[in-house]
Amino acid sequence: MSEEQADTGPVEAWLAEVAAKSRQPLHVVREVLAQHRVRPQMAAPRPHRLLVTSVAFDGFRPAADSVAGEKGGEPFTFSWDLGPGLWCLASLGKNEAGKSSVLEIVLWCLRGRSGLQRDVRHWLRTVRVGFELDGEPLLVDIAVRAGSPQGHVVSTQSGTVLVDFDGLADFEEAMDAFMLERLGLEPLRTAQAAPGGPSEPPITGELSWPSYASALHVSRSGLGILLGNDARHGLPTRLLELFLGAPWASTKVEAAVALKIVRAQLSAARSRAVGDAEARKAQLEELSRRLKQAQDRLAALDGAGGTAADVQQLYTELAASTRVAVTAQDAVLAVRSTHNELEAQRRDLAAAVHTAEEASLARAFFHTLMPTVCPRCDAAVDRARWEREREGHCSLCASDLHEAHSSADEDESGAQTADLRQMLVEVQQAVDGAAAELAQAQQQASQAEAVREGATGRLQEALGSPGLRERREMELVVARLEGAVEERSGRFADLDASVDLAPLEGAGAVLAAAEKLAMDRRTQVLKKVLGDVEKDIVVMGRALGLEMLKEVKLGGNASLTVWKGGQKHSYGSLTEGEQLRLKIVTTIALLRHGYRSGVGRYPGLLFIDSPGAEEVDAGDLQHMLRDLVTLTEMVPELQVIVATARGAEVREIVSADNMRLAAEGQRLW
């Protein structure tokens, strides 16, 4: 480790080691782990305590000859108050006394998942199981209708309803969420290989509280498995880590699941890249074959090559003549617009000249008139007024006639009229020029249209020639195939090398390093404690009748190797009686270590169903029960509930207060 890493914490040191082992930058390591929810967890978890305090239920058991669905039957009730220590449900040799059903009812209320036989569940009407979780008194209160539970979990200390449920699935989900949160547990991520092979994404899922709770129950159905009742998804290993509070264990599992997913994605990406390359190669070969066939067919069409070239030339001529005709027509429109504007100006100027000349003639005419009456009031103009005009004053308004008819005004009016006449002449000349341009443009447009029509006619005539259509179509086929071949031989040729697998490969390297390094840390911790657990297993195993037991090796994967009678055995090769005893003593040994160290997360509750049914004689069974009593005395919070048909042997060990014993030939309920 470098000096820089020496001062960092254990999580930072682990991240740095992952980066070094995977050869990825530290920021990439952090991003990959965050993306795949792989969290470094090294703190020892806080232990929790679970204690069953009471169980009560009632219902109706149908008569042996009753018809399915018939109402009524024999009523039954059961109630039992419990506490810490060893407790026992027993009968005197009768196997159908209801012992296992009591255990399953309690387990149903604790884990939410029912292991009851269907008929027994349908007999029930009410179920009430009290338990303490870290000292808080809780009650599961259920009304059962047609085998379906409806009820709630309530804190009897505060009266608060903590969980409501209605139905089998809802009950399991509700207890799952409640117990995981209260016990500080997390769902166990799982990944299974897909049926389609390594390139298919793995089937992922989660094991939750019912899977954890399998460690609470030792029964015949799970004897072949050292811890719990299910070996799938590495559950025994996780339970071992749960007993011992192993740090880094969840990190190792999260990294392993994520690595399976990434490896499947990488395998699929590589398969797709290979498949795509092969598909492109096959496509190129097929296109080349089709191109060769098309070229051969084109070559077989003799004598049509010149015609085809002429047609192409005719297409070119038609396109060129069409552009010229359009340009000529645009020129006609532009010249016509100019001509129309000038013609409008000419008409306006002609009108203005005419108006000016009319005004000049009107003034001259009116100045020669002698008025006889006033044009406003019809008053007669007498001779005296006429005489005044001789003096230079108007006979009507008395104004100075010399000023009104000054020569300057007449000159100005005449000059304006002359200017208008000159402008009219100039505009007329422009109009004539525009008309000439228009005529020329129209002639050019007509000529261009004639050329275009000629090109159209020649093309239509050429297209009507025999064999040309077939060759033209074949030429197009060849051109398209040549383009496709060139495309796949050109820019598509580098696709195989351009498939970017680097991100997935980098993520896989990070996750593989994270799993390995977390596993190393987890294993180092377990090695320190497994030796003590192995010694306890040997001592208690000999006390339970395995006199030939010499040594055991408890693996970090929850495997057990046994040396007895001078031979080495695996746990799975032992007899059922030997498996039962070793499973019990292994569970007890792990419990003892957890309580000694104060880090085990196992909640301190154990159910043992029928421990005397598997080749265990009376003396060995009593030894086992005494050891359980000793263990519960050593750990006051521990509770063990045993169900057995060997009541005669058990009642010598377990006090009457801690035991429910069915009378001979009778049921517990």
Side-chain angles (χ1 to χ4, degrees), residues 173-444:
E173 291 178 4
M175 291 304 295
D176 181 24
F178 177 73
M179 296 299 281
L180 284 180
E181 191 273 330
R182 287 301 185 97
L183 294 174
L185 301 173
E186 294 182 354
L188 308 176
R189 295 179 64 189
T190 65
Q192 288 180 292
S199 62
E200 293 291 326
I203 302 172
T204 59
E206 290 183 339
L207 298 177
S208 202
W209 167 238
S211 297
Y212 279 117
S214 66
L216 305 175
H217 191 199
V218 176
S219 67
R220 178 169 183 164
S221 63
L223 281 185
I225 305 166
L226 184 63
L227 295 176
N229 298 316
D230 191 348
R232 294 176 300 170
H233 312 296
L235 182 59
T237 303
R238 299 305 309 273
L239 293 177
L240 175 66
E241 295 162 350
L242 175 73
F243 273 106
L244 301 178
W248 295 99
S250 60
T251 304
K252 180 260 299 182
V253 173
E254 290 168 354
V257 172
L259 180 59
K260 289 181 180 179
I261 296 173
V262 168
R263 282 177 174 170
Q265 293 172 342
L266 185 58
S267 177
R270 286 171 175 162
S271 297
R272 285 195 301 270
V274 172
D276 291 346
E278 292 177 350
R280 284 191 294 274
K281 181 180 179 181
Q283 289 177 353
L284 180 59
E285 291 175 352
E286 174 62 16
L287 287 170
S288 299
R289 184 188 64 80
R290 291 168 54 191
L291 175 59
K292 181 63 169 58
Q293 290 179 344
Q295 289 172 336
D296 291 344
R297 288 185 58 188
L298 181 61
L301 298 176
D302 296 332
T307 306
D310 293 342
V311 169
Q312 183 61 46
Q313 179 61 32
L314 291 175
Y315 272 116
T316 303
E317 291 177 0
L318 176 58
S321 62
T322 300
R323 288 194 297 271
V324 172
V326 170
T327 302
Q329 195 62 42
D330 291 342
V332 169
L333 293 176
V335 173
R336 178 176 285 115
S337 176
T338 301
H339 176 270
N340 291 342
E341 291 177 359
L342 291 171
E343 180 61 25
Q345 291 181 17
R346 187 198 63 77
R347 287 196 297 270
D348 292 342
L349 284 172
V353 169
H354 178 73
T355 299
E357 290 176 344
E358 290 268 335
S360 177
L361 291 174
R363 283 196 302 272
F365 172 73
F366 282 112
H367 287 173
T368 60
L369 296 180
M370 292 292 289
T372 59
V373 295
C374 178
R376 178 175 178 83
C377 60
D378 294 335
V381 179
D382 54 16
R383 184 175 293 277
R385 287 183 176 271
W386 289 346
E387 292 295 332
R388 292 186 61 186
E389 287 194 0
R390 295 178 180 177
E391 299 174 359
H393 298 282
C394 178
S395 59
L396 295 178
C397 63
S399 62
D400 191 348
L401 291 177
H402 295 288
E403 294 180 0
H405 305 297
S406 65
S407 60
D409 291 341
E410 291 179 358
D411 292 344
E412 182 179 356
S413 175
Q416 291 177 348
T417 301
D419 290 342
L420 289 174
R421 289 195 189 98
Q422 181 60 36
M423 290 174 63
L424 178 59
V425 171
E426 293 174 355
V427 170
Q428 182 63 53
Q429 291 174 351
V431 168
D432 294 341
E437 289 182 10
L438 178 59
Q440 183 179 2
Q442 289 174 334
Q443 182 180 5
Q444 292 175 348

Side-chain angles (χ1 to χ4, degrees), residues 30-50:
R30 293 182 185 275
E31 291 172 0
V32 169
L33 296 179
Q35 178 184 355
H36 294 278
R37 295 186 300 156
V38 178
R39 296 156 294 180
Q41 295 179 345
M42 55 159 294
R46 180 176 68 88
H48 297 271
R49 297 293 176 261
L50 184 61

Side-chain angles (χ1 to χ4, degrees), residues 4 15 50 77-78 143 196 208 300 307 333 336 351-352 361 392 434 444 453 459 549 553 558 561 574 667:
E4 288 183 316
L15 291 172
L50 184 61
T77 62
F78 180 87
S208 202
T307 306
L333 293 176
R336 178 176 285 115
L361 291 174
Q444 292 175 348
E453 290 178 354
L459 177 60
L549 184 62
K553 182 68 175 178
T561 304
L574 301 175
R667 298 175 180 272

Side-chain angles (χ1 to χ4, degrees), residues 98-158:
K99 307 178 298 297
S100 296
S101 294
V102 175
L103 293 186
E104 289 293 348
I105 287 172
V106 176
L107 284 166
W108 185 24
C109 291
L110 292 180
R111 69 191 177 197
R113 179 179 295 174
S114 174
L116 283 167
Q117 295 182 1
R118 189 172 185 274
D119 56 349
V120 175
R121 198 175 72 242
H122 279 70
W123 297 348
L124 296 171
R125 293 297 177 267
T126 62
V127 176
R128 294 166 64 86
V129 171
F131 65 99
E132 289 184 3
L133 183 53
D134 291 337
E136 180 182 5
L138 304 169
L139 176 68
V140 180
D141 192 357
I142 304 175
V144 186
R145 297 293 180 266
S148 179
Q150 181 182 19
H152 52 261
V153 179
V154 61
S155 171
T156 56
Q157 189 173 34
S158 64

Side-chain angles (χ1 to χ4, degrees), residues 421-485:
R421 289 195 189 98
Q422 181 60 36
M423 290 174 63
L424 178 59
V425 171
E426 293 174 355
V427 170
Q428 182 63 53
Q429 291 174 351
V431 168
D432 294 341
E437 289 182 10
L438 178 59
Q440 183 179 2
Q442 289 174 334
Q443 182 180 5
Q444 292 175 348
S446 298
Q447 293 173 350
E449 180 62 22
V451 172
R452 190 193 67 79
E453 290 178 354
T456 301
R458 289 190 298 275
L459 177 60
Q460 291 176 346
E461 181 180 357
L463 291 176
S465 63
L468 179 63
R469 184 182 302 276
E470 181 182 3
R471 184 175 183 85
R472 185 61 177 168
E473 291 176 353
M474 188 53 59
E475 287 176 342
L476 292 176
V477 170
V478 169
R480 284 196 295 268
L481 289 172
E482 287 176 342
V485 169

